[in-house]
Amino acid sequence: MSASREDLARKAEAGTFTAENLGTCIYRCVGYDAFHALASTTWEMDRNLGTAYYPRFMDYLKRVQKEDLSVAGALTEPRGSRSKKTLDWPDPYLSLKVVDKNKEGIVVRGAKINISGAFASHELVVLPQAAHFEGEEDYAVAFAIPADAQGITYVCQYTPFSAERDQADDLEELGNPLFGQRETSMVIFDHVFVPWERVFHCGEVPYSVKFVSRFAKTHRMTCGGTCKVGFMNQIIGAAKLIQEYKGLQKAAHINEELMEMVVHRETGRACGMAAAHRGAEEPEGSGVFLPDELMGNVSKLNICNAFWRVMALAGDIGGGLIVTMPSMKELKNPEVKSYVEEFYSFGSDEPTENIMKVHKLLQNWTSGLHGVGTWHGAGPVMAQKIMLQRVIDYEHEKNLVKRTLKLKE
Amino acid sequence: MSASREDLARKAEAGTFTAENLGTCIYRCVGYDAFHALASTTWEMDRNLGTAYYPRFMDYLKRVQKEDLSVAGALTEPRGSRSKKTLDWPDPYLSLKVVDKNKEGIVVRGAKINISGAFASHELVVLPQAAHFEGEEDYAVAFAIPADAQGITYVCQYTPFSAERDQADDLEELGNPLFGQRETSMVIFDHVFVPWERVFHCGEVPYSVKFVSRFAKTHRMTCGGTCKVGFMNQIIGAAKLIQEYKGLQKAAHINEELMEMVVHRETGRACGMAAAHRGAEEPEGSGVFLPDELMGNVSKLNICNAFWRVMALAGDIGGGLIVTMPSMKELKNPEVKSYVEEFYSFGSDEPTENIMKVHKLLQNWTSGLHGVGTWHGAGPVMAQKIMLQRVIDYEHEKNLVKRTLKLKE
Amino acid sequence: MSASREDLARKAEAGTFTAENLGTCIYRCVGYDAFHALASTTWEMDRNLGTAYYPRFMDYLKRVQKEDLSVAGALTEPRGSRSKKTLDWPDPYLSLKVVDKNKEGIVVRGAKINISGAFASHELVVLPQAAHFEGEEDYAVAFAIPADAQGITYVCQYTPFSAERDQADDLEELGNPLFGQRETSMVIFDHVFVPWERVFHCGEVPYSVKFVSRFAKTHRMTCGGTCKVGFMNQIIGAAKLIQEYKGLQKAAHINEELMEMVVHRETGRACGMAAAHRGAEEPEGSGVFLPDELMGNVSKLNICNAFWRVMALAGDIGGGLIVTMPSMKELKNPEVKSYVEEFYSFGSDEPTENIMKVHKLLQNWTSGLHGVGTWHGAGPVMAQKIMLQRVIDYEHEKNLVKRTLKLKE
Amino acid sequence: MSASREDLARKAEAGTFTAENLGTCIYRCVGYDAFHALASTTWEMDRNLGTAYYPRFMDYLKRVQKEDLSVAGALTEPRGSRSKKTLDWPDPYLSLKVVDKNKEGIVVRGAKINISGAFASHELVVLPQAAHFEGEEDYAVAFAIPADAQGITYVCQYTPFSAERDQADDLEELGNPLFGQRETSMVIFDHVFVPWERVFHCGEVPYSVKFVSRFAKTHRMTCGGTCKVGFMNQIIGAAKLIQEYKGLQKAAHINEELMEMVVHRETGRACGMAAAHRGAEEPEGSGVFLPDELMGNVSKLNICNAFWRVMALAGDIGGGLIVTMPSMKELKNPEVKSYVEEFYSFGSDEPTENIMKVHKLLQNWTSGLHGVGTWHGAGPVMAQKIMLQRVIDYEHEKNLVKRTLKLKE
């Protein structure tokens, strides 16, 4: 957890480091960012309401650190019609709901969707997805739970990339042979019991929105910002190699495209850095530092668009081969092996296997799940816009104009 | 083949019609556009050089029409280092080459890559990929051949989507259950014999570039333009349905996104129409009408960028579910069926199966091969730019300025 | 007035022709487009309501044609708070209002703002700016009037460019020496009498919106579309000349910028053409052809953004000199004449006077009123978006998806 | 001069502070950034070549600080054909040249163009504009000189805004009544003598490029980055006020536009901050800190495009009135005063004078010299691109890919 701006800056850099080395989701990021929201908001509730959530959470956090537990964070929910309020949905479980409470703990029913790494983590930490209001107390709930607790069911994501892995003879055939694709699941809680010592929010409706927004601003700096800097590095590296394999080092338009990708990357990096450097303790006295709200959202908003553009640019350099290449298996197929080696060589000295693997990596990055995934991870564009409109204040700017023009009062 | 501007306009509209109804490649488009180049250029060679290619080609074309043969077109080649010329590549077969000639015909060796629908067509029609120059006579070749001719080998594209089809129990599980994904292959010609009556270009180097550029301008209007209008209609329809399932009909930002997609679509349609309406007979007297070069290239250039943007917008509306959804198989899995039906329902009356299928369709369009595929089909951005720079003339514009300013001579 | 699609296509082309030859507003365009709205809507009112506006308008139109009168069109009004309705504004005259009616005619008070060429035209033709509703009958008014009618006052636009003209010794010193800057004015109607034979709409509130929207769709094709094609030609010509003066003919990035300008121009042209080619008689039987609503709005929407981009590109090629150049007067100033000639020559053979004049022309285009003017002429972006959302129907697209996926009813 | 990263960060912030308070160029920025280049490069020359420029420059700098002299920096030159080298230009003075040297000093001839604030400063500091090579020793020159030294002539910028100022009865009529428009001039040096104690570079050709590039990277952080943050604040403030005057506070599309402007501003601020925070001592041991090259150029590159976009957005909110409004003089014109007050009031309680002044301010920002000026100040886009391509290294990214894919050596 970040206890200073320097911690935040290191957190921002860590996002890049892990992303560029794994080439996929680190899975611990959502949980880690949820901890920021939990520490900050439980501290505030205890101070304001006299509850005792903060020490409870800190005990939990210490155990996580000591035992090095992998903790997935879970916020997003199925939800009903967006034009109706939670209480008006026909099915009350489209948002996770407390259905029973007793001396030992609470019982919940509902689901969390799109949860990265959930089924493979040791623990889940659950926050509300949205603000809650009077009457919605049963939805104002945050807790931690072992990933294999009774009543939890996982329905895993299944995409063309899942099928490809199932069909592979060898992981080397895949786009990211080292760490694979991001894996998410829907986590169903069907009457799951959570003991009180793991409950960090229960019914205090005005605080639900604080869990969400503090999580969001922390997550947007990293998942929405510097993590994608790391992903872009993989894309840029692959595009650069293909440029060299094809003998296009002097092609001005390719060099321009590579440069444009670097500009998007550095803009993402700068916004992440600035979000950290302008971070602040929140609430004052809590010892928890959070990134700057404005900059965190700017960071993610830029990345949403930049990532699609980087995909398009890398796709241009990679060429049609990215999507038309045959299976890596053909390199072991005696009938066509020699043709594949000859005709995918670009006449270069590079082993054709290398050439094909780099194209396969770019297929993974530009012709799969990353555009939509990057857009929605840490919230889609509209989520940033809503938050930005909340925090932007125009008084300073209006006053500048009034003074320049000596406007009459 | 187009014999008038009206024919071209109908061809442009046909591109939209087939694309929106199939939701994938029609496969006959490249071949059909190659026929435009062949008719025009064989006619011109016969007139200028006294060859007899045109009647030979027309005989072939009539047979194709009469027997309703499906003909794939093949231009793109493996190529060697882009910094060297064809004759300097270490392997002479990185461009398709005539290796023998005799009274009966010619023998070729080489490969064509990224060829849509090749292995499933009746016939292949082969054009050069690029301009050729003195000394490169053996590369200046165009011909037609049955798809199963001796010496031809296909190495098929294999992507995550291929794997998904292999893993499916039922085509209904796929993104486009009706017509599937675009399938391409590398077509290897290893000493393939072509009889003279099917050879339409052989050694006349100054004409290679005419085959290519006439094909390109025809193809860019349709494959690069109005075909994508049809694809966008599928995307727009799916995004609209999801908006309704989620109860977001009044969300201004979603309506704005749908509208932006329509603007991209109509811009594509307008440029395609204009390319047809400004088309011309080429060469004069040949009876062959080709779209306007400038407009055809503008059309494709706009689409290259617009398609990625449409993907991003549809991905926003579709949400994270597009990439995190489970297999359609889970709807038949007794352990989780009821959960899936409950939690992917959006609380709407629509059958969850429908909701999931529409998301699956958008997965196909926004999280797969279409961004890179659309960019490179009919040539990447740089190909349009090169052609545009060739045909743009600034004299009219300079003269306007000189007159407005009464510039001194 | 357009009586066929061919007429519309010629009208679209005429927009380009006049714009590129004048390099400024033709001034007759708004009036001409208002005639389309008047012919169509008076015909419809007469048919539906039994009024006799159409023959009255046609008499007027014939006189205009016969006497070749220049007619400015006037729609835009001062308006009050956009959050209140017309009838709730404290000042009833912020929209033009009928304040008296008698046997001879009507008397109006109010103002029309931003009216191009008003004070220099023979006649003004006035339409409502917006839809009107029950209770707003006095605002539902359209008429024609001589520009010098009693009670009309003009308050003319005054910009830095006006000042520059006032300071000039010679028109040759200005950016567009031939036809100058667009001149607009606020036209105040202070108890202006209009005889009945020149009144074409008076109180029929449901028809006000038809005047506006039919005008808009006609105007967006031309003013919002093909007119700017002509302006872009002036810009492209000037940028090209500067490229040559500087010896930058082989600079790839400059050639790319010129090409991008051409792409924007051709896209604008294509959308204008398509708006004409898809035009239709409206209402059926009226004999009046109007451009396609969807395409007309797409045309203008694209131009809004494209024009700013073209300005930025031309500004890049023109260089800092565009804004830092001295007065053309210095070429006659014996103290500095030789320096100016030496140091603004680019070392080329071109007379420095020519070089400076071309920069001055680009100053006019890129560093003045054209960005904002082009955006708002024929309505700002939001106006197009509102209209687009009104006319777009998604049924066709939804049905395509339903069929592809065999969705359950 | 910056002696630490913290100094650089303060310098970045100072750029914003001065820009937003002046609403125009501070004029001292180029000179100040030139001092960074001079300190760093004279120190390096002395170390490497045994010259004694550094103490000479430091003496000068101390005097500047002590006497609080305003110093304009001058780099840009007329230049000849860009397709030829300096020595091949017909006129040797298109780049500033040493034409004589003696015991007392040097004599130069040539010109510097586009120099902000030159004629109104106490001093000029002159650097080379470009790299120089063997044979070009006479062009490799840097020095300081009083602005009124013998042989110096100023030819001042004259734009429509200059004319407007000349025509004004009262500064209140102008767009920026407080500090006016940026004023530049061409500075002609016709046999100007510079004593040795003010010469900081003379003939050491390999160092010319260092002066230029160190100046550029310093200038791009501020002039190219955080200065424009300040300008954007004036624009945002004016647009916000107009939104309120018009009663459009709840118009979603206006709020979205304001937010987009803020996003561009914050992105600019973040890149400027990051350039400072990643700055470094250069050369090591010199005590001079310069911003990060990569980030400084990214900063300016983003701003080039963002500023035009901000202009377009503000122009949308401001409306046609920005360019069509009459002179502020009309508010004193008894004939039309009451009309102007009535019809430009938006029916609000705000004095019409205030409303008009805010529109006038936006005219200044969106309909004048700022688009082209901002693009070219601190170098146009191509300058950043060239520098970026020089400093970007792809080894790290390539290695990430090689490791992920275990590529064969």
Side-chain angles (χ1 to χ4, degrees), chain C residues 50 72 139 147 151 170 280 326:
Chain C
Y139 296 102
D170 183 338

Side-chain angles (χ1 to χ4, degrees), chain B residues 20-21 234 244 256 258 265 267 302 353-354 357 385 389 396-398 403-405 408, chain C residues 20-21 234 244 255-256 265 267 302 353-354 357 385 394 396-398 403-405 408:
Chain B
E20 74 184 14
N21 280 289
Q234 287 242 349
E244 295 174 358
E256 166 118 10
L258 286 163
R265 181 191 72 194
T267 303
N302 281 331
E353 184 187 332
N354 284 4
K357 283 170 102 173
K385 290 185 176 174
Q389 298 207 348
H396 172 66
E397 295 85 344
K398 283 159 63 178
R403 210 176 51 205
T404 299
L405 299 173
K408 291 181 182 157
Chain C
E20 73 184 15
N21 279 288
Q234 287 241 350
E244 294 174 359
N255 286 322
E256 167 119 8
R265 182 191 71 194
T267 303
N302 282 330
E353 184 188 331
N354 283 5
K357 284 171 101 173
K385 289 185 177 175
Y394 295 96
H396 172 67
E397 295 84 346
K398 282 159 62 179
R403 209 176 52 205
T404 299
L405 300 173
K408 290 181 184 159

Side-chain angles (χ1 to χ4, degrees), chain B residues 26-150:
Chain B
I26 187 182
Y27 297 126
R28 293 183 175 211
C29 170
V30 181
Y32 180 53
D33 293 344
F35 293 160
H36 283 76
L38 282 160
S40 164
T41 310
T42 56
W43 186 92
E44 191 179 12
M45 285 197 292
D46 288 4
R47 184 193 63 187
N48 294 357
L49 310 177
T51 48
Y53 288 126
Y54 180 73
R56 192 187 279 179
F57 167 68
M58 292 307 283
D59 283 350
Y60 176 72
L61 181 59
K62 277 172 203 155
R63 193 166 70 80
V64 165
Q65 290 174 335
K66 202 167 130 197
E67 304 181 15
D68 190 19
L69 299 179
S70 165
V71 183
L75 286 90
T76 310
E77 298 181 332
R79 287 177 292 167
S81 172
R82 271 64 160 165
S83 62
K84 293 181 186 158
K85 295 187 179 161
T86 304
L87 296 175
D88 297 334
W89 292 335
D91 177 352
Y93 306 116
L94 294 177
S95 179
L96 188 81
K97 191 180 179 189
V98 176
V99 292
D100 199 12
K101 250 188 265 193
N102 55 38
K103 248 190 358 206
E104 279 74 37
I106 62 175
V107 178
V108 296
R109 190 179 189 282
K112 292 286 182 176
I113 58 170
N114 309 346
I115 308 307
S116 294
F119 67 91
S121 298
H122 299 104
E123 294 269 324
L124 306 177
V125 59
V126 172
L127 299 189
Q129 166 168 24
H132 286 299
F133 306 97
E134 215 186 306
E136 299 177 0
E137 284 74 9
D138 290 341
Y139 295 103
V141 62
F143 57 86
I145 189 128
D148 59 353
Q150 183 139 18

Side-chain angles (χ1 to χ4, degrees), chain B residues 390-403:
Chain B
R390 252 181 233 159
V391 298
I392 300 172
D393 172 82
Y394 295 96
E395 288 313 303
H396 172 66
E397 295 85 344
K398 283 159 63 178
N399 287 333
L400 287 171
V401 169
K402 287 178 182 170
R403 210 176 51 205

Side-chain angles (χ1 to χ4, degrees), chain A residues 40-54:
Chain A
S40 165
T41 309
T42 56
W43 186 92
E44 191 179 11
M45 286 197 292
D46 288 3
R47 186 192 62 186
N48 294 357
L49 310 177
T51 48
Y53 288 126
Y54 181 71

Side-chain angles (χ1 to χ4, degrees), chain A residues 20-21 234 244 255-256 258 265 267 302 353-354 357 385 396-398 403-405 408, chain D residues 20-21 234 244 256 265 267 302 353-354 357 385 389 394 396-398 403-405 408:
Chain A
E20 74 184 13
N21 279 288
Q234 287 241 348
E244 295 174 359
N255 286 322
E256 167 119 8
L258 286 163
R265 182 192 70 194
T267 302
N302 282 330
E353 184 187 331
N354 283 5
K357 283 170 100 174
K385 289 185 177 174
H396 172 67
E397 294 83 346
K398 282 160 61 179
R403 210 177 50 205
T404 299
L405 300 174
K408 291 182 183 158
Chain D
E20 73 185 13
N21 280 287
Q234 288 241 349
E244 294 173 0
E256 167 120 8
R265 182 191 71 193
T267 302
N302 281 330
E353 184 187 333
N354 284 4
K357 284 170 101 172
K385 289 185 176 174
Q389 298 207 348
Y394 295 96
H396 172 66
E397 294 84 345
K398 283 159 63 179
R403 210 176 51 205
T404 299
L405 300 174
K408 290 182 182 158

Side-chain angles (χ1 to χ4, degrees), chain D residues 119-305:
Chain D
F119 67 92
S121 298
H122 298 106
E123 295 268 324
L124 305 177
V125 58
V126 172
L127 298 189
Q129 167 168 25
H132 286 300
F133 306 96
E134 219 187 304
E136 299 177 1
E137 284 74 9
D138 289 342
Y139 296 101
V141 63
F143 57 87
I145 189 128
D148 58 355
Q150 181 138 22
I152 292 183
T153 302
Y154 298 92
V155 181
C156 288
Q157 166 182 6
Y158 183 87
T159 70
F161 293 85
S162 321
E164 190 186 36
R165 191 191 50 214
D166 291 344
Q167 291 270 4
D169 298 327
D170 183 340
L171 293 180
E172 296 292 305
E173 296 170 17
L174 302 177
N176 181 347
L178 213 50
F179 294 103
Q181 281 280 333
R182 172 199 304 266
E183 299 294 334
T184 71
S185 51
M186 171 159 68
V187 188
I188 298 142
F189 298 80
D190 199 352
H191 292 84
V192 172
F193 170 73
V194 189
W196 282 115
E197 63 266 25
R198 289 165 154 279
V199 175
F200 311 126
H201 172 42
C202 189
E204 305 83 358
V205 284
Y207 291 87
S208 295
V209 70
K210 299 203 169 189
F211 282 105
V212 180
S213 66
R214 286 169 184 169
F215 165 77
K217 80 167 92 171
T218 311
H219 202 50
R220 277 168 200 164
M221 174 181 77
T222 322
C223 170
T226 55
C227 163
K228 272 44 185 195
V229 169
F231 283 0
M232 287 184 192
N233 273 343
Q234 288 241 349
I235 299 174
I236 291 167
K240 183 72 192 171
L241 285 169
I242 291 178
Q243 179 196 37
E244 294 173 0
Y245 298 158
K246 287 184 180 167
L248 282 167
Q249 291 90 327
K250 294 195 173 163
H253 74 287
I254 305 286
N255 287 321
E256 167 120 8
E257 290 181 320
L258 286 163
M259 189 209 62
E260 189 187 333
M261 289 194 253
V262 169
V263 170
H264 289 303
R265 182 191 71 193
E266 293 304 310
T267 302
R269 192 199 305 276
C271 293
M273 279 181 66
H277 281 295
R278 298 174 80 92
E281 193 182 27
E282 181 178 348
E284 230 177 287
S286 67
V288 185
F289 274 70
L290 302 178
D292 181 63
E293 182 86 88
L294 182 54
M295 221 36 120
N297 279 284
V298 166
S299 178
K300 173 70 169 79
L301 190 56
N302 281 330
I303 287 289
C304 274
N305 291 294

